[in-house]
Amino acid sequence: MLSVKPYRGSRDFYPPEMRFRKWMFSRLRSSVEQFGFEEMDAPILEPIDLYLAKTSEEIVSTQIYTFKDRGDRQMVIRPEMTPSVSRMVAGKFRDLKKPIRWYSIPNLWRYERPSKGRLREHWQLNCDIFGAPDPFWADLEILHLAVTLLKNFGADHTMFRVKMNDRRIINYLFENVLKIQADWWAPVARIMDKKEKIPRDEYMAMMTAAGLGDAQIASVDLYLENPARFFADHRDGSPVFAEMEKLMAVAAESGLRDYVEYDPSVVRGFDYYTGFVFEIFDLTPGNNRSLFGGGRYDRLLENFGIQSANAVGFGMGDVTLQDFLESHHLVQNPDKLVHVYLAVFPDPSLLPHALNIASDLRKAGLNVEMNLGQKKMGKQFQEADEKNIPLVIILGEEEIKNNSVQMKNMKNGTQNQVFLENLQESIQSEWEKIYAAKN
Ligand code: HAM
């Protein structure tokens, strides 16, 4: 017998889960559109070269789903959206009005060990700004958008924190403090990224294996544990320290004071980031996976021949967002929205009339579920009740003769006759009562 389970690390979306997903995504879409972003999409399959150019070695070497197509081309099921968005922006770069503000909610595949907050297939809201006249304000806009997305679900600063850093600060550490060669930077950065997630012994062993001596590891520790001192010691060495302080200060002044903090351990696993980077964490201890990750990646478009196109954005996963909303009781799972259940006396000759009434109501924009079988009336009421449809229209021979129906409010039990010419208005006013009773 075949298994009825979905593939490991992926999910089936039965109607209740789909309803939840649609609710969550429609909230995200309306928040993002408040910031003037436009939705786009790309193919789920891309040639492997797109990811080899400049991405995360961990993803390419251990997490991509890859196969050869019938023409012997090595293909990848997209593990992230940033390379595809960049390819599309580059494809029409000259024609697109800048700054470009695009968003998408693609499903992505990564061969991960499934755990809390991590699956093999997830959906990820991606928001990116390309070609801003002043990248500083694009970074700030991205921060505001990220915070607003969570606030629009009812979240506040007691529930999450934006932790930010700048890749150039880490590069400064590598170049001027550790003085290590450039091809060591990415591997060392990835180990730093793991520091809080792995035991100290393992961390030390990885750093040593990467070629760092004890004094260098101590410098990394000082940077990670006392960033204020690190900033003070090196402020004169690079303008990036003042830039980070300015971003923190303007973010604080513009309403994000309680939401953002500098965190030297935020590195981000992808090699394409060039400046500001951030992650958002749930403050609930059990949900320790990041909710969002993003940053500035000014050089990715160079792979497609577009020079100096600044870019900044983030990805936010549906799995971690759902965990977040559930742990803070912010889920408002909407009921299936059927406005009316059309109950028909069990007589086949009535069905054509019922179909006409249903069509008229649907044309008027109402969602109508019609009884399809020859069920007894009691069973039809029960079905409407079980499906949580608050309004039932009843059609029998008498009603057809009078050009009317009976309308029953399942919430308060009232029932009355309504003439067909008044049906839409009557449904509307009954629904107003149902809404009023709900709120
Ligand atoms: P990322 O950090 O790999 O960044 O993913 C962003 C978010 O997607 C994570 O914070 C998490 O919420 C979610 N996520 C990632 N992997 C999984 C997984 N296996 N299961 C469930 N959720 C997951 C990126 O992908 C960048 N391309 C984001 C970006 C857009 N940067 C700039 N623009």
Side-chain angles (χ1 to χ4, degrees):
M1 212 158 32
L2 289 173
S3 166
V4 293
K5 291 207 177 112
Y7 168 63
R8 184 168 146 84
S10 71
R11 292 160 289 170
D12 286 328
F13 291 86
Y14 283 89
E17 290 86 37
M18 195 64 204
R19 203 184 313 144
F20 176 81
R21 193 173 103 191
K22 278 175 67 182
W23 168 77
M24 200 161 74
F25 289 1
S26 75
R27 281 288 180 94
L28 294 175
R29 285 194 166 92
S30 58
S31 297
V32 177
E33 285 171 13
Q34 284 183 326
F35 283 72
F37 281 65
E38 271 197 297
E39 188 163 5
M40 47 74 66
D41 203 356
I44 192 165
L45 298 182
E46 294 276 11
I48 195 164
D49 309 358
L50 193 67
Y51 304 97
L52 295 178
K54 204 177 208 189
T55 180
S56 159
E57 195 186 285
E58 187 185 10
I59 289 198
V60 173
S61 58
T62 64
Q63 294 186 339
I64 49 171
Y65 282 81
T66 177
F67 65 95
K68 280 206 168 139
D69 74 3
R70 285 169 197 271
D72 215 29
R73 283 170 286 260
Q74 195 74 39
M75 302 302 294
V76 168
I77 305 180
R78 60 187 175 195
E80 58 153 337
M81 194 64 175
T82 310
S84 304
V85 182
S86 302
R87 175 177 65 69
M88 284 173 62
V89 167
K92 296 201 170 181
F93 192 71
R94 266 170 242 306
D95 302 332
L96 292 164
K97 288 261 169 295
K98 324 287 182 309
I100 300 156
R101 292 181 170 88
W102 281 0
Y103 81 94
S104 56
I105 312 185
N107 56 332
L108 308 177
W109 284 86
R110 296 181 189 179
Y111 193 75
E112 302 222 32
R113 184 199 297 259
S115 60
K116 187 164 174 65
R118 279 288 172 277
L119 292 177
R120 290 183 175 170
E121 183 188 36
H122 76 284
W123 271 255
Q124 194 187 85
L125 169 70
N126 275 254
C127 299
D128 296 273
I129 303 178
F130 295 86
D134 181 345
F136 176 84
W137 296 104
D139 293 349
L140 201 68
E141 170 108 321
I142 281 291
L143 276 177
H144 272 274
L145 170 58
V147 170
T148 304
L149 282 171
L150 293 180
K151 282 172 79 176
N152 283 356
F153 280 104
D156 64 32
H157 70 277
T158 62
M159 301 174 191
F160 69 94
R161 199 62 83 245
V162 183
K163 300 191 171 193
M164 49 200 232
N165 196 3
D166 194 307
R167 265 292 173 88
R168 291 168 300 166
I169 294 179
I170 301 160
N171 293 346
Y172 179 93
L173 169 78
F174 293 155
E175 192 173 3
N176 300 310
V177 182
L178 305 185
K179 300 189 191 325
I180 54 176
Q181 64 213 52
D183 56 340
W184 290 17
W185 293 9
V188 173
R190 278 194 288 274
I191 304 168
M192 286 166 64
D193 191 40
K194 290 200 167 72
K195 183 171 183 266
E196 296 304 311
K197 302 161 202 158
I198 55 176
R200 176 82 189 165
D201 292 356
E202 199 182 321
Y203 169 75
M204 291 295 287
M206 287 171 86
M207 282 298 210
T208 310
L212 263 60
D214 287 349
Q216 288 167 312
I217 299 175
S219 296
V220 174
D221 284 349
L222 175 79
Y223 159 75
L224 289 173
E225 283 152 25
N226 195 346
R229 162 107 185 267
F230 189 84
F231 269 52
D233 289 351
H234 298 286
R235 183 167 286 115
D236 296 337
S238 162
V240 67
F241 296 101
E243 284 175 32
M244 187 74 228
E245 282 167 349
K246 181 178 163 202
L247 185 61
M248 291 292 296
V250 181
E253 280 160 26
S254 60
L256 300 182
R257 188 179 306 281
D258 296 333
Y259 292 93
V260 295
E261 67 187 38
Y262 176 73
D263 186 332
S265 70
V266 172
V267 175
R268 304 280 300 132
F270 295 99
D271 300 338
Y272 48 65
Y273 292 114
T274 52
F276 159 67
V277 280
F278 75 101
E279 301 208 348
I280 297 189
F281 289 92
D282 187 347
L283 295 180
T284 310
N287 297 340
N288 50 10
R289 296 286 192 176
S290 70
L291 281 161
F292 293 56
R296 173 157 291 288
Y297 51 102
D298 287 343
R299 306 197 58 184
L300 198 54
L301 266 67
E302 287 177 10
N303 292 324
F304 307 97
I306 304 289
Q307 307 301 324
S308 61
N310 64 67
V312 63
F314 63 78
M316 173 217 230
D318 68 326
V319 184
T320 39
L321 177 61
Q322 181 166 353
D323 288 344
F324 175 80
L325 296 175
E326 283 169 356
S327 57
H328 296 286
H329 310 290
L330 298 173
V331 174
Q332 292 163 16
N333 207 353
D335 293 333
K336 170 182 167 187
L337 191 59
V338 176
H339 298 106
V340 222
Y341 183 94
L342 186 50
V344 189
F345 273 90
D347 170 353
S349 71
L350 301 177
L351 285 173
H353 297 279
L355 273 175
N356 283 338
I357 294 175
S359 302
D360 285 347
L361 294 177
R362 288 175 186 142
K363 261 189 238 150
L366 293 166
N367 300 344
V368 182
E369 184 161 328
M370 198 180 117
N371 172 253
L372 296 178
Q374 304 295 307
K375 282 188 195 148
K376 291 204 174 106
M377 281 324 257
K379 282 257 183 264
Q380 298 190 46
F381 288 142
Q382 192 184 338
E383 187 175 305
D385 204 34
E386 282 167 3
K387 293 186 167 178
N388 214 3
I389 307 173
L391 214 54
V392 177
I393 286 173
I394 305 152
L395 188 69
E397 219 173 317
E398 265 315 290
E399 283 75 27
I400 288 175
K401 273 190 210 142
N402 304 330
N403 265 334
S404 69
V405 293
Q406 294 286 325
M407 191 163 74
K408 181 170 173 145
N409 181 328
M410 301 292 282
K411 298 286 168 199
N412 60 18
T414 55
Q415 180 170 328
N416 46 48
Q417 187 184 29
V418 178
F419 287 101
L420 287 182
E421 70 225 46
N422 304 327
L423 185 56
Q424 283 165 31
E425 297 89 90
S426 305
I427 291 174
Q428 198 157 4
S429 75
E430 211 56 41
W431 258 99
E432 277 161 18
K433 285 186 214 155
I434 292 164
Y435 271 128
K438 246 191 192 172
N439 302 316

